[in-house]
């Protein structure tokens, strides 16, 4: 996944570092083997390369993630779209490598996308390839990897842990001193908020953050973020600088923060209507401003 992971855990004496490491790394390796766009032999790449009309059988974990991505695409009207793989490459954020300049509109329009073109046979674990459609699960697979690794740890009897993979975190239980796992919600660089940093206790919770400072490139005129807007077929360019989401599922937190980022100002209403615990930081002439959904504020009060 191109990231590192870390684990802090309070465990029984019988569990070795090697056993804990194997549990986490095994989950990461499985996600890469099934969902990576960078590994030509992955199950996802096998689907992307399938001919038009093929009904591709995929493993259960990949189907789980694709189905969740499809459902969120439907819920957001396509703001979250798992079929932007061709656009990701076109803008220089995929395995094809960086580009020298922003692609023109004609090139963008030729890149095949469209979550509505996907047909999922969920009971039988098959996905229909309409032709040229390329999945990119980078906005959801890492969060799923956190959940999968946490399940592997819990299967070993680990109940008290703080797990982080590439900036996405999930916490369970408490530390050895009985205190919860306190983490600071990320704030974009290059500005100051009037409010102090937010600390949240990850007790059976996950947190994911999407930010406009991660994985960017510049053509000298402007900076382009890796988060793509499927409507404009270009990197998001609105005022939203970062979105953090709290959820019991890290997969959902990961995907939702991407969706809210793409929705931009409309993301506030989306989060409120659906009870999503979201914090949005926006850039403006006066600097950074912060907005918290009612569900996010309630979780802060509880901790």
């Amino acid at each position: 996944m191109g990231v590192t992971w870390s684990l802090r855990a309070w465990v029984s004496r019988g569990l070795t570092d090697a056993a804990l490491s194997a549990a986490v790394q095994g989950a990461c390796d499985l996600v890469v083997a099934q969902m990576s766009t960078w590994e030509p032999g992955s199950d996802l790449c096998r689907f992307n390369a399938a001919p038009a009309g093929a009904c591709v059988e995929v493993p259960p974990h990949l189907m789980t993630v694709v189905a969740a991505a499809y459902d969120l695409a439907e819920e957001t009207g396509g703001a979250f779209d798992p079929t932007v793989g061709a656009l990701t490459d076109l803008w220089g954020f995929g395995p094809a490598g960086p580009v020298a300049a922003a692609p023109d509109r004609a090139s963008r329009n030729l890149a095949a996308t469209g979550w509505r073109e996907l047909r999922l046979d969920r009971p039988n674990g098959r996905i229909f390839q309409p032709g040229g459609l390329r999945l990119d699960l980078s906005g959801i697979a890492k969060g799923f990897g956190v959940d999968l690794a946490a399940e592997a740890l819990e299967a070993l009897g680990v109940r008290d842990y703080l797990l982080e993979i590439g900036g996405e975190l999930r916490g369970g239980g408490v530390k050895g001193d009985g205190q919860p796992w306190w983490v600071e919600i990320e704030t974009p660089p290059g500005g100051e908020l009037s409010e102090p940093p937010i600390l949240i206790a990850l007790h059976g919770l996950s947190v994911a953050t999407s930010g406009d400072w991660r994985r960017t490139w510049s053509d000298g005129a402007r900076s382009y973020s890796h988060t793509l807007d499927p409507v404009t077929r270009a990197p998001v360019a609105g005022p939203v600088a970062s979105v953090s989401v709290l959820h019991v599922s890290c997969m959902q937190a990961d995907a939702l923060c991407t969706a809210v980022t793409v929705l931009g100002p409309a993301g506030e209403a989306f989060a409120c209507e659906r009870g999503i615990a979201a914090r949005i930081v926006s850039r403006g002439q006066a600097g950074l401003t912060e907005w918290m959904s009612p569900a996010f504020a309630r979780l802060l009060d509880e901790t």
Side-chain angles (χ1 to χ4, degrees), residues 4-213:
T4 60
W5 62 263
S6 65
L7 172 68
R8 297 174 63 190
W10 184 256
V11 301
S12 62
R13 292 181 182 273
L15 273 177
T16 65
D17 286 352
L20 297 171
S21 180
V24 176
Q25 190 61 50
C28 292
D29 291 345
L30 186 147
V31 170
V32 169
Q34 294 191 13
M35 307 173 205
S36 174
T37 57
W38 298 79
E39 296 293 336
S42 74
D43 293 290
L44 183 143
C45 286
R46 181 168 54 85
F47 170 83
N48 288 349
C55 203
V56 183
E57 188 173 345
V58 298
H61 288 312
L62 178 55
M63 176 55 79
T64 295
V65 176
V66 173
Y70 181 93
D71 291 344
L72 186 58
E74 189 171 43
E75 187 178 3
T76 61
F80 185 91
D81 190 337
T83 69
V84 294
L87 277 179
T88 300
D89 276 354
L90 193 64
W91 281 95
F93 294 110
V99 294
D104 58 32
R105 181 166 293 278
S107 299
R108 284 182 265 163
N109 288 340
L110 287 173
T113 61
W115 62 273
R116 290 184 178 87
E117 302 300 317
L118 279 179
R119 292 212 303 271
L120 309 183
D121 180 2
R122 304 190 194 203
N124 296 306
R126 297 184 298 181
I127 309 174
F128 174 75
Q129 170 60 276
L133 210 58
R134 290 163 57 189
L135 292 172
D136 181 347
L137 301 176
S138 58
I140 188 171
K142 186 168 59 174
F144 177 79
V146 174
D147 291 334
L148 195 64
E151 290 173 8
L153 291 170
E154 291 170 3
L156 293 175
V158 180
R159 296 292 179 266
D160 304 305
Y161 61 88
L162 178 64
L163 174 64
E164 177 264 337
I165 301 179
E168 323 288 39
L169 298 102
R170 174 165 159 166
V174 294
K175 295 190 291 185
D177 60 3
Q179 289 293 310
W181 302 101
W182 291 99
V183 298
E184 183 177 322
I185 304 296
E186 284 187 275
T187 296
E192 296 292 336
L193 287 168
S194 57
E195 296 82 0
I198 295 175
L199 293 176
I200 190 78
L202 292 187
H203 183 72
L205 276 177
S206 299
V207 61
T209 298
S210 178
D212 65 357
W213 69 93

Side-chain angles (χ1 to χ4, degrees), residues 267-269 271-272 276 278-282 289-294 296:
E268 295 182 8
C272 289
I276 297 167
R279 178 225 195 194
I280 302 174
V281 177
S282 300
T289 57
E290 178 185 67
W291 176 87
M292 290 184 289
S293 70
F296 191 96

Side-chain angles (χ1 to χ4, degrees), residues 218-235:
S218 175
D219 60 6
R222 59 160 290 191
S223 180
Y224 298 98
S225 165
H226 74 284
T227 302
L228 300 176
D229 184 338
V231 174
T232 64
R233 304 175 73 80

Side-chain angles (χ1 to χ4, degrees), residues 200 244-246 267-280 290-303:
I200 190 78
S244 297
V245 171
L246 296 165
E268 295 182 8
F270 176 80
C272 289
E273 290 167 2
R274 288 158 178 80
I276 297 167
R279 178 225 195 194
I280 302 174
E290 178 185 67
W291 176 87
M292 290 184 289
S293 70
F296 191 96
R298 281 196 299 272
L299 283 175
L300 287 185
D301 290 340
E302 291 173 5
T303 58

